[in-house]
Amino acid sequence: MFLSVFDIFKIGIGPSSSHTMGPMVAAARFLEDLRGGAEPIPGAGALASVEAVLYGSLALTGKGHATDRAVVLGLCGLVPETLDPDAAEGLLAEVAARKHVAPPGLPELAFDPARDIRFDFGPPLEGHANGMELRAFDAAGNPYHSARYYSIGGGFVLSEAELRAQSEEGARAPEVSGVPYPFTNAAEMLAMSHSSGKSIAAMKRANEVKLSADGSGEGSAARLDARLDALWGVMDGCITRGLGQDGILPGGLNVRRRAAAIHRALEAERGRNLAQPHAANDWISVYAMAVNEENAAGGRVVTSPTNGAAGVVPAVMRYYRDHCVGANTQGLREMLLVAAAIGGIIKHNASISGAEVGCQGEVGSAAAMAAAGLCAALGGSSAQIENAAEIALEHHLGMTCDPAAGLVQVPCIERNALGAIKAVAAASLALRGDGNHVMPLDNCVRVMLETGRDMNAKYKETSTGGIAVNIPEC
């Protein structure tokens, strides 16, 4: 099992990695099938039109998560990493007016978003709560090609065949991936760290260099550092943009951006002996809120490990850089590497999808990642790092995913702030100990998965229970 730091942290757009980025990627993959000469269904004529059907959570909260807009953009040939959010509105308007998409390398295809994106509110597809089907037709309306995709969280997308293969592989012993330190869980990670004498960050770095673009040639480590720095640059830039924006977030809930006003107040308190000791929490919170307000507005963010939880890791990294003694660039790189190691363990052994296990899989996972990263940057041992991740995840167990109106705003923005605070507290507690603790991280991850499986579907990103149905209509 190996998930790169650049798999866990992906540059994209808001408001959701599973409901916005995933469907966009799925649509782009469908176009690749068509360009690659996907075998037409017998009897079909020339390719002429496309449609999309959304199931489960993608249907129930698709409007609030801009899933329909993402499908349109994906069918135009765009992908999250390179999409210009400012140009999206014009393209969406053009498709709605012309009722056609013109993806590169394919003929112009009939597609009316109002008619050809269907929200199926019946039972979800069996494979995953976030399922969708894309269909192509000839001019007479005969089926030409179809494919099902599943957006499994964090922007990861699997076809039906890939999901089936993953399920079959999960029933077998995991295969060694060819990296020097192929740990599949925290116990293996700690054992390898002990036997090799290397830190978790050093092992993760060695794995990344081994699987870099050229294999492991000279300069791979420098290229890795450059990519890590660029990733942090996007995160940091998102915080800075969010701290400078006022106004009302889109979607209809009339949620007011608060990060900028809070930040101005905190800056005004500097050097005036007016700040309370707990103001450190306000700084952590405002960094996280800035990211998630940007995410809610459809801005550029980094999945960490999802968009709904995108504020936690960047907030803790900004807190480390701007507020912690001895902070440096190498510490920021270690935070990303260690956070990705923990995120990979959680994704491999449980889930990071709110539609699958609730928000414990999103903000809970993000808090565990951030806590481990901060602990590492502050000099924690491998045992202390594992302890920090466990503390943070343990105290998010059972957290539901119940966004009001399907928007990643209430309670998501504040939830990221509190997740970041918990991450810092967890790292601090772990650093005050020696790494010995009762509940191993692996057991905590297993409990998270079991809790998610037992959780009622109305609390798993369907907006049919919890906070989502208890907002006053006024």
Side-chain angles (χ1 to χ4, degrees), residues 118-131:
R118 292 169 35 207
F119 295 81
D120 188 319
F121 298 114
L125 298 179
E126 290 186 6
H128 192 277
N130 292 333

Side-chain angles (χ1 to χ4, degrees), residues 167-254:
S167 178
E168 291 170 356
E169 288 169 5
R172 305 193 300 266
E175 298 179 0
V176 175
S177 64
V179 296
Y181 304 100
F183 50 85
T184 61
N185 55 45
E188 291 177 358
M189 178 181 72
L190 290 176
M192 287 184 183
S193 177
H194 177 74
S195 62
S196 68
K198 290 184 176 291
S199 68
I200 294 171
M203 292 193 300
K204 183 65 174 170
R205 173 177 286 276
N207 288 348
E208 295 286 343
V209 169
K210 176 67 175 177
L211 293 185
S212 61
D214 68 344
S216 58
E218 185 179 353
S220 292
R223 282 192 294 274
L224 173 61
D225 284 342
R227 293 186 71 190
L228 291 172
D229 294 347
L231 195 62
W232 163 239
V234 176
M235 291 177 168
D236 191 37
C238 184
I239 294 173
T240 300
R241 285 195 309 277
L243 293 177
Q245 301 293 322
D246 292 296
I248 302 296
L249 293 171
L253 285 180
N254 294 317

Side-chain angles (χ1 to χ4, degrees), residues 79-94:
V79 292
E81 186 171 354
T82 56
L83 172 66
D84 178 2
D86 295 330
E89 288 300 326
L91 186 55
L92 290 165
E94 181 182 344

